[in-house]
Amino acid sequence: MATVLSHLDRLTTEDFAVVNGKVVISAAACATMAACPDSATVSSRVHGRYRRRLADVALAGRPVVLNLCVRRFVCVKPDCRRRTFVEQVEGVTSRFTRRSQPLRRTLMAIGHALAGRAGARLSRLLGIGVSPNTMLRLIRSQCDRPSVRAPRVLGVDDFALNRATSTAPS
Ligand SMILES: [Zn+2]
């Protein structure tokens, strides 16, 4: 399975089944330790485990559900305000999301190319269907993050160029 879905290399695959037309992959994270998102302190003290269900990239046009067992670790730094945290699997999971990172990247690429409705239609054909609103929300979430630093100094030419383009006759 790992050779087909290379982003799952960091996981131990437990089961693979087709349920109601969806491919369900049960897997578990296998790293022995994880870093606290606040203090970056590495911990191996496991507080508990639970299952996360994530939508993943489609397999031969079928939707894929990743039934992932993740662990909650105890932060071992005494003055850290976060007492426990959930591990994230690099290249697969992100905090507060129900889609794998490869699926999010795929949907964002479709959204940037086709936008809401057309993107949603194509995503349904590919087996990763989302609504037009979800498609737009994914694009906006990427746009909210500043990808480049704001310029520290603006020259007169920059201002003149912007003013010239905004007042140009159409
Ligand atoms: Zn911490």
Side-chain angles (χ1 to χ4, degrees), residues 36 38-41 75 77 80 82:
C36 170
D38 281 354
S39 64
T41 306
C75 182
K77 189 174 181 185
C80 182
R82 186 181 297 272

Side-chain angles (χ1 to χ4, degrees), residues 42-107:
V42 175
S43 172
S44 59
R45 280 185 55 198
V46 176
H47 182 267
R49 299 167 204 275
Y50 71 96
R51 290 222 166 247
R52 255 181 102 172
R53 289 178 68 85
L54 297 167
D56 199 6
V57 286
L59 202 56
R62 288 185 186 227
V64 172
V65 176
L66 194 55
N67 186 11
L68 182 61
C69 179
V70 292
R71 292 160 296 178
R72 180 172 285 279
F73 285 88
V74 176
C75 182
V76 292
K77 189 174 181 185
D79 59 341
C80 182
R81 65 185 176 138
R82 186 181 297 272
R83 300 186 57 161
T84 64
F85 61 92
V86 176
E87 66 183 329
Q88 301 300 326
V89 181
E90 187 181 334
V92 180
T93 65
S94 307
R95 293 177 71 193
F96 312 122
T97 60
R98 292 183 298 160
R99 296 181 180 88
S100 70
Q101 288 180 12
L103 178 58
R104 283 178 61 86
R105 280 195 302 272
T106 303
L107 289 170

Side-chain angles (χ1 to χ4, degrees), residues 16-37:
F16 179 88
V18 178
V19 180
N20 297 329
K22 292 182 178 178
V23 177
V24 180
I25 301 171
S26 298
C30 48
T32 55
M33 48 189 64
C36 170

